[in-house]
Amino acid sequence: DAGVIQSPRHEVTEMGQEVTLRCKPISGHNSLFWYRQTMMRGLELLIYFNNNVPIDDSGMPEDRFSAKMPNASFSTLKIQPSEPRDSAVYFCASSSPLAGSDTQYFGPGTRLTVL
Amino acid sequence: QKEVEQNSGPLSVPEGAIASLNCTYSDRGSQSFFWYRQYSGKSPELIMFIYSNGDKEDGRFTAQLNKASQYVSLLIRDSQPSDSATYLCAVNTFGMDSNYQLIWGAGTKLIIKP
């Protein structure tokens, strides 16, 4: 089975530009998580979805960040406008609590650099 | 504020020795406990999970859980240079609308010296 798929793997953009990160969870998993990781702050939960519905977005830093999950197999995280402090690795993870497991499986991440 | 605490390290262990990684958590209602390994530039990957008090062994890895002390540890026997990585402890907790989410520690960097 394919794991969590993220694209792009690397993104370099200029301050003020819009950035869209994409994620395809593991088939059959009904929970999806967006994380951000930096050396200073470690792994931070930004938002998570259950059954395509956003449950907790308290980790989203500010209104410049938005996330959607239009169907069970696709989610996006958008930053508009981007700022240099948004530079980080963004991970998507999925799990299947309906199957009795809250183990999260991570995608390879998107390394974002905002110049 | 629900928290998971880990010593950031680095923890340096000679090859062949036992590496011991520790984690404490604040939420007494937590029921699932996870250890992930993260190599530099890679994503976290699951090593083990444990739900019950006591020890759980998987190959060279042993997870230990003590809910009374709110303490979970990971032992790596016969440490190899390939075990050098950052180890993340994660603990589940009730989030919004009684949905579970994981609270993550900052990770312990482990260095195995040949």
Side-chain angles (χ1 to χ4, degrees), chain B residues 16-91:
Chain B
I18 296 175
S20 178
L21 304 164
N22 304 313
C23 172
T24 59
Y25 60 95
S26 63
D27 184 4
R28 286 196 170 274
S30 295
Q31 298 177 2
S32 304
F33 308 85
F34 303 84
W35 284 101
Y36 284 75
R37 177 177 62 200
Q38 187 175 23
Y39 292 115
S40 180
K42 301 295 185 181
S43 57
E45 57 177 335
L46 178 72
I47 298 177
M48 291 187 70
F49 59 85
I50 185 168
Y51 299 144
S52 304
N53 273 331
D55 294 359
K56 179 181 179 182
E57 186 174 318
D58 183 1
R60 296 187 296 112
F61 298 93
T62 299
Q64 299 176 317
L65 175 62
N66 183 327
K67 289 186 178 180
S69 300
Q70 296 174 249
Y71 177 94
V72 58
S73 64
L74 179 70
L75 302 178
I76 307 174
R77 290 183 300 281
D78 187 23
S79 298
Q80 303 295 312
S82 59
D83 295 326
S84 298
T86 296
Y87 289 79
L88 299 168
C89 173
V91 175

Side-chain angles (χ1 to χ4, degrees), chain A residues 86-109:
Chain A
D86 301 330
S87 297
V89 180
Y90 290 80
F91 290 108
C92 176
S94 69
S95 70
S96 184
L98 286 181
S101 171
D102 46 5
T103 300
Q104 294 183 15
Y105 297 90
F106 284 75

